[in-house]
């Protein structure tokens, strides 16, 4: 018997505290105009001490299970994409498993920086297609505020905290669902975006370091390749794509991808203006928002793409 991974429901969690560009401009030498013009970011949500990766991931997971109409004990696997786990181990995913009251299944974290959710979807698809899991909770959750250097204006303005989750379940191989995922990494570019220490629940010993210009250059070319690869593998054209749900790093990169696909702006889901870059959480946050407000509907073809530290990058093509 062969299966396809079908989408059942999505949920999100955002911290309570919203921080505007103007508030950041009182801490570092920046301005609302600079941040908006270069990135499209207008504000970000920042976690309070009690809003850990596990807490936010569990909240998003509960919302996803509720929208899917699935009980936590029907879940066979919890995959949590994060670069900001609460602890080195146990995996934050098992903390989520406990918080949800799951008595079975298995849970683990997956680290691929901003591409983490695409990687987690790909692993989910493999588990489902092989029959190893029937129902999988796929979560992206990040507290990047804990690993930012708040004195570095070039990076601290770019990121935010949050979590998004989806429930995927085995369905018929000829039905809707994940059509493909494609993953890439290039270790030789690992020093373009990295953390120079450890970041956990408490005081971080490491901070995010980035060569923004180089990341921008790689993002434009590698994401263009990822989009073409996804469509070619499925015999599809740009015109077949109903929605682009990109990683939300920078509005200029997002707009460039939308233009490449020939999609009108209203067919590109954008949250970077309100959430900033939430790394592995950005795609499920954006996707859940567009599912929740009825923009993305059954039958639609959704293209997701991301690039992040590693460098890692990839795509997922999902028929609702
Ligand atoms: N406010 C005001 N000025 C700033 C700020 C700030 N927050 N940050 C940097 N500057 C200054 C710099 O000091 C520099 O000044 P100088 O010319 O006097 O030296 C000037 O602005 C230009 O700096 P650059 O870093 O060259 O600015 P750039 O135009 O490249 O924009 C940015 C920076 C927005 C980070 C851009 O490179 C970019 O979008 N890169 C993509 C990286 C990205 O999105 N990373 C997110 C993580 S990776 C991912 O998720 C894909």
């Amino acid at each position: 018997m062969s299966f396809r991974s079908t989408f059942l429901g999505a949920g999100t969690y955002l911290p309570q505290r919203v921080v505007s560009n103007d508030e950041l401009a009182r801490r570092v030498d920046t301005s609302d105009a600079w941040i908006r013009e270069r990135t499209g970011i207008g504000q970000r949500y920042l976690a309070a001490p009690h809003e850990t990766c596990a807490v936010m991931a569990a909240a998003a997971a509960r919302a996803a299970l509720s929208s899917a109409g699935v009980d936590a004990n029907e879940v066979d696997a919890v995959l949590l994409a994060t670069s900001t786990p609460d602890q080195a181990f146990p995996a934050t995913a098992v903390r989520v498993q406990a918080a949800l009251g799951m008595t079975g299944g298995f849970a683990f974290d997956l680290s691929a920086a901003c591409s983490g959710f695409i990687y987690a979807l790909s692993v989910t698809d493999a588990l489902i297609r092989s029959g190893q899991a029937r129902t999988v909770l796929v979560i992206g959750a990040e507290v990047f505020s804990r690993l930012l250097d708040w004195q570095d204006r070039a990076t601290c303005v770019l990121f935010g905290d949050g979590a998004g989750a989806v429930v995927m379940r085995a369905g018929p191989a000829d039905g809707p669902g994940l059509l493909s995922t494609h993953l890439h990494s290039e270790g030789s570019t690992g020093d373009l975006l990295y953390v120079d220490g450890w970041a956990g629940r408490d005081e971080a010993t490491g901070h995010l370091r980035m060569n923004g210009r180089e990341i921008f250059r790689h993002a434009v070319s590698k994401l263009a390749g990822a989009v073409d690869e996804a469509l070619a593998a499925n015999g599809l054209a740009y015109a077949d794509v109903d929605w682009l749900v990109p990683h939300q790093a920078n509005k200029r990169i997002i707009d460039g991808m939308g233009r490449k696909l020939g999609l009108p702006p209203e067919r590109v889901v954008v949250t970077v203006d309100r959430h900033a870059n939430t790394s592995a959480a950005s795609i499920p946050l954006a996707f859940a928002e567009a599912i929740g407000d009825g923009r993305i509907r059954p039958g639609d073809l959704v293209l997701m793409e991301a690039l992040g530290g590693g460098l890692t990058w990839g795509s997922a093509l999902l028929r609702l």
Side-chain angles (χ1 to χ4, degrees):
M1 177 114 183
S2 56
F3 303 104
R4 179 165 274 167
S5 310
T6 58
F7 166 75
L8 290 190
T12 63
Y13 179 85
L14 287 164
Q16 282 176 347
R17 182 157 177 251
V18 180
V19 175
S20 67
N21 292 343
D22 285 333
E23 187 177 337
L24 285 190
R26 292 195 285 273
R27 290 197 217 170
V28 287
D29 182 15
T30 189
S31 66
D32 179 59
W34 192 96
I35 300 170
R36 276 184 201 274
E37 187 189 314
R38 303 288 174 112
T39 71
I41 295 167
Q43 60 169 47
R44 73 283 298 137
Y45 292 79
L46 297 185
H50 70 278
E51 290 172 314
T52 67
C53 183
V55 164
M56 296 198 300
R62 277 190 206 97
L65 288 168
S66 160
S67 101
V70 170
D71 186 85
N73 276 306
E74 293 174 58
V75 174
D76 301 308
V78 181
L79 271 66
L80 173 55
T82 187
S83 299
T84 48
D86 286 3
Q87 298 158 286
F89 73 86
T92 301
V94 303
R95 302 295 194 193
V96 173
Q97 183 188 26
L100 297 177
M102 288 172 59
T103 54
F106 59 94
F108 63 97
D109 291 355
L110 191 152
S111 167
C114 298
S115 312
F117 185 74
I118 299 285
Y119 271 60
L121 269 185
S122 186
V123 176
T124 294
D125 198 35
L127 291 171
I128 287 178
R129 283 178 190 265
S130 68
Q132 217 179 328
R134 178 168 175 266
T135 306
V136 181
L137 197 46
V138 197
I139 311 168
E142 302 279 18
V143 272
F144 261 47
S145 59
R146 310 251 213 276
L147 51 75
L148 294 173
D149 175 352
W150 287 100
Q151 310 302 316
D152 178 15
R153 67 178 182 174
T155 54
C156 76
V157 302
L158 301 176
F159 296 91
D161 302 329
V166 300
V167 181
M168 304 295 290
R169 177 171 278 174
D174 58 354
L178 264 178
L179 303 185
S180 67
T181 58
H182 288 88
L183 306 183
H184 297 277
S185 66
E186 186 181 77
S188 59
T189 44
D191 287 340
L192 294 181
L193 179 56
Y194 65 100
V195 177
D196 59 4
W198 169 252
R201 188 164 44 191
D202 302 317
E203 185 75 3
T205 63
H207 296 107
L208 180 144
R209 307 293 175 203
M210 180 180 79
N211 181 332
R213 286 244 162 128
E214 277 298 293
I215 292 287
F216 196 97
R217 196 175 63 77
H218 281 282
V220 170
S221 66
K222 288 184 162 59
L223 290 174
V227 163
D228 288 341
E229 177 183 43
L231 293 174
N234 293 281
L236 294 166
Y238 293 164
D240 294 313
V241 177
D242 295 306
W243 293 98
L244 177 65
V245 183
H247 168 50
Q248 308 281 322
N250 184 303
K251 185 74 165 44
R252 288 185 296 162
I253 299 174
I254 293 172
D255 288 346
M257 293 306 294
R259 276 196 303 275
K260 174 179 166 61
L261 291 166
L263 281 172
E266 61 272 18
R267 289 272 159 180
V268 181
V269 181
V270 176
T271 54
V272 70
D273 52 334
R274 287 158 292 131
H275 299 173
N277 182 346
T278 57
S279 190
S282 91
I283 290 179
L285 273 166
F287 179 66
E289 182 176 287
I291 291 279
D293 63 22
R295 268 178 290 170
I296 299 181
R297 294 167 167 277
D300 285 352
L301 184 69
V302 179
L303 177 58
M304 303 172 180
E305 41 84 345
L307 176 132
L311 294 180
T312 57
W313 69 101
S315 67
L317 204 49
L318 175 68
R319 174 78 67 190
L320 264 289

